[in-house]
């Protein structure tokens, strides 16, 4: 890890690259939303809501706005009636894919069900 340059001079974890990364992916819903955008590439609000499950409209809306403000997703609005809005990962969001893959590998190594397991993996996800 590249924490060496910060040894002895840290006043806060937020002052480190690790802290910055946590601020981008931390929270209950961020990685869940990003996971579905990796899987489906482009999604509309209600599609995301259905895939995620137990999330309120207000929470999903706030999370999407925050992810967009942080540059992790791109919101595309189409000028039509009824309005159509789609979300996808930005290049910055896509750059987190290796981290998400590493998390999946860690989960498999430490007890998560593999792809041949009978249960739907998202059914066991505690969010």
């Amino acid at each position: 890890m590249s924490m060496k340059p910060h040894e002895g001079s840290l006043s806060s974890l937020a002052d480190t690259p690790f802290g910055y990364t946590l601020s981008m992916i931390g929270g209950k819903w961020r990685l869940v939303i990003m996971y579905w955008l990796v899987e489906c590439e482009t999604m509309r609000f209600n599609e995301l809501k259905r895939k995620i499950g137990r999330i309120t409209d207000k929470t999903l809306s706030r999370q999407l706005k925050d992810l967009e403000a942080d540059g992790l997703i791109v919101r595309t609005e189409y000028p039509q009636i009824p309005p159509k809005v789609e979300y996808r990962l930005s290049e910055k969001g896509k750059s987190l894919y290796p981290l998400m893959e590493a998390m999946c590998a860690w989960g498999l190594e430490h007890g998560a069900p593999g792809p041949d397991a009978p249960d739907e993996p998202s059914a066991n996800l505690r969010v």
Side-chain angles (χ1 to χ4, degrees), residues 8-86:
S9 64
L10 282 181
S11 60
S12 168
L13 184 62
D15 298 335
T16 67
F18 182 77
Y20 174 75
T21 304
L22 279 180
S23 75
M24 292 291 108
I25 63 169
K28 185 174 181 177
W29 300 108
R30 281 182 167 238
L31 282 174
V32 175
I33 292 167
M34 293 177 67
Y35 170 85
W36 285 113
L37 291 175
V38 165
E39 287 293 313
C40 301
E41 292 185 23
T42 300
M43 297 183 79
R44 295 177 72 178
F45 184 91
N46 284 329
E47 291 175 305
L48 268 168
K49 191 171 188 314
R50 275 192 296 277
K51 290 284 189 183
I52 294 169
R54 295 176 293 186
I55 187 170
T56 65
D57 287 354
K58 181 179 178 181
T59 300
L60 180 55
S61 180
R62 176 82 258 148
Q63 291 294 309
L64 290 169
K65 285 177 184 173
D66 290 348
L67 286 163
E68 182 183 17
D70 288 338
L72 297 177
I73 66 170
V74 175
R75 179 184 188 271
T76 305
E77 188 172 339
Y78 297 94
Q80 65 184 49
I81 306 283
K84 178 180 175 182
V85 177
E86 293 180 336

Side-chain angles (χ1 to χ4, degrees), residues 112-121:
D116 299 328
D119 293 331
E120 174 73 23

Side-chain angles (χ1 to χ4, degrees), residues 21 24-25 34 72 92-101:
T21 304
M24 292 291 108
I25 63 169
M34 293 177 67
L72 297 177
K92 184 177 178 180
K94 288 177 185 174
S95 72
L96 289 168
Y97 183 73
L99 177 65
M100 295 169 71
E101 280 290 309

